[in-house]
Amino acid sequence: DIVMTQSPLSLPVTPGEPASISCRSSQSLLHSNGYNYLDWYLQKPGQSPQLLIYLGSNRASGVPDRFSGSGSGTDFTLKISRVEAEDVGVYYCSGKLTFGGGTKVEIK
Amino acid sequence: QVQLQESGPGLVKPSQTLSLTCTVSGGSISSGSYYWSWIRQPAGKGLEWIGRIYTSGSTNYNPSLKSRVTISVDTSKNQFSLKLSSVTAADTAVYYCARVYSYGSVDYWGQGTLVTVSS
């Protein structure tokens, strides 16, 4: 079974500063079609999760361009160029029908 | 705008079967190359895939739950359903239904429904 490992578990951030979350999978998520089947989601407090990034690096509709995804194979990164207060919540990566454990982003 | 709404009992007794239905509105459940999925989240914990179904009826289940899970679809009602048998307190969670692209991305989520397993 695939295991998705995120780090850090908790990430205190300062508004206006950058932030980065890592996701590592125990199996390659690189499909034969050249796409990485890796997504990023944000679950804001009290809400359902929302899709941020799909296929490794594509922003979902309506997602601000301060969010970006990168990586390939087994190592992936979500970056927020300048954190805003509305970005707080738990971030999850997901691949092959398995979610990572989540990274809680909170304002310092 | 596609919307998904979970419905079903909020309380289930141990050893019984949990049954939930997801009603899809704003689009046909049969249109497009989508899977329809169930995902759950115990209180204060992370997300767990339960399984997914294509409108053809083909399914994929989480191996850890496979022996207890059945997901079905009723295209005439624009609904899909979850049955989880032999539940225990460990199955207490918020259950989400969701629309999933073929490559696994979830673009629409229901609001979630809390199911508590308790006698």
Side-chain angles (χ1 to χ4, degrees), chain A residues 3-25:
Chain A
V3 176
M4 305 292 290
T5 304
Q6 289 182 233
S7 61
L9 264 59
S10 176
L11 183 58
V13 297
T14 301
E17 293 295 307
S20 179
I21 299 170
S22 173
C23 176
R24 179 165 292 178
S25 62

Side-chain angles (χ1 to χ4, degrees), chain B residues 64-83:
Chain B
S64 68
L65 299 169
K66 187 175 183 178
S67 63
R68 299 193 292 130
V69 173
T70 302
I71 297 176
S72 59
V73 64
D74 187 336
T75 56
S76 67
K77 295 182 179 179
N78 232 34
Q79 295 176 334
F80 62 106
S81 299
L82 168 70
K83 291 188 184 300

Side-chain angles (χ1 to χ4, degrees), chain A residues 33-50:
Chain A
N33 60 15
Y35 291 101
N36 285 281
Y37 284 19
L38 184 283
D39 306 314
W40 290 96
Y41 300 88
L42 166 60
Q43 186 173 31
K44 296 183 179 181
Q47 295 185 15
S48 302
Q50 60 187 88

